[in-house]
Amino acid sequence: MTRGLFITFEGGEGSGKSTQAARLAAHLRERGLAVVLTREPGGSPGAEAIRKLLVEGDTARWTGRGELFLHFAARADHVERVIQPALARGACVVCDRFTDSTMAYQGYAHGLGREAVERLADVCHPGLKPDITFLLDIPVEVGMKRSGLRDSAENRYERMPLEFHERIRNAFLDIASRDAERIRLIDASADISALEKIIRLNVDEMLVKHSGA
């Protein structure tokens, strides 16, 4: 059986990742493919419990290092119980955030460095990397305005200083420049339907190559 495609969405707060991930999952299902739509932190019962610790509460609840270990604890459970089994049975996994987010938020913005994230990734999911990643880039002020419209208790990261979010945006851009073959950098200020079309075209093209592999 052919391994399924692993597709991830990345970006800062309010970039529209969740919307585009859901739309892509629907498109793939319409094509008759088995799809697992999931998210991080979270995606499995254990990881969802850890998610509450990370995305709710006071902004100073954790240090950057504490966040790093919590994210990878959640990811380890998510990968083992959801992502890897789905890929093994040939399903497409569409995930809202993955290790690139940890690199941007904790590695860059919190200043822990690339090596710390890379070493934990090697332990947590050795050899597992997204086949394609869509990085939705948007000016911080626009994204924060969008995210501020959401009525949710999951706003711990959104409430962090604007300078922190600027560091995240710059981090994602640097991450994308280091892995341009995998990461598709997309202007998320474009119309939602236009973004959806761009993403569909990229994934449909990859599916053709994947099926012929």
Side-chain angles (χ1 to χ4, degrees):
M1 179 180 291
T2 303
R3 172 191 175 276
L5 278 180
F6 185 22
I7 304 164
T8 59
F9 284 81
E10 299 287 0
E13 308 300 331
S15 60
K17 299 177 293 70
S18 302
T19 297
Q20 293 300 332
R23 289 189 174 208
L24 177 62
H27 168 65
L28 294 174
R29 289 183 181 122
E30 288 172 359
R31 289 192 50 163
L33 298 171
V35 179
V36 172
L37 175 62
T38 188
R39 68 177 183 178
E40 290 208 349
S44 67
E48 288 290 334
I50 296 173
R51 176 185 178 88
K52 290 180 67 67
L53 299 176
L54 283 161
V55 301
E56 297 181 9
D58 188 81
T59 57
R61 185 176 190 179
W62 306 104
T63 64
R65 185 167 282 104
E67 288 179 6
L68 177 67
F69 286 112
L70 284 169
H71 276 288
F72 271 110
R75 182 165 298 127
D77 194 72
H78 186 211
V79 167
E80 185 173 348
R81 297 180 188 273
V82 177
I83 295 176
Q84 286 181 329
L87 293 174
R89 63 177 183 266
C92 291
V93 174
V94 179
C95 190
D96 181 355
R97 294 196 185 284
F98 195 60
T99 302
D100 289 318
S101 276
T102 308
M103 182 65 80
Y105 280 69
Q106 284 74 45
Y108 283 69
H110 275 310
L112 297 179
R114 293 184 56 87
E115 184 181 359
V117 179
E118 289 169 348
R119 289 176 68 183
L120 286 174
D122 285 341
V123 174
C124 178
H125 51 88
L128 177 63
K129 197 172 186 179
D131 295 294
I132 187 169
T133 296
F134 294 102
L135 171 55
L136 275 58
D137 178 56
I138 194 169
V140 170
E141 295 84 356
V142 177
M144 296 307 293
K145 185 176 180 180
R146 286 181 181 178
S147 64
L149 299 175
R150 294 199 295 256
D151 183 17
S152 172
E154 296 188 342
N155 61 4
R156 177 173 171 266
Y157 281 111
E158 285 94 329
R159 287 185 282 109
M160 289 184 179
L162 194 65
E163 293 79 6
F164 179 77
H165 293 282
E166 292 286 1
R167 292 199 298 273
I168 290 170
R169 186 188 185 193
N170 291 331
F172 273 127
L173 293 174
D174 185 64
I175 292 166
S177 71
R178 291 169 180 263
D179 199 349
E181 184 175 345
R182 171 177 64 91
I183 301 175
R184 306 293 195 272
L185 180 61
I186 299 175
D187 181 1
S189 61
D191 176 79
I192 291 176
S193 296
L195 289 176
E196 181 180 5
K197 183 177 181 181
I198 293 170
I199 291 165
R200 282 187 180 189
L201 287 172
N202 276 271
V203 173
D204 288 347
E205 180 181 337
M206 175 162 278
L207 284 168
V208 172
K209 295 178 181 178
H210 189 67
S211 62

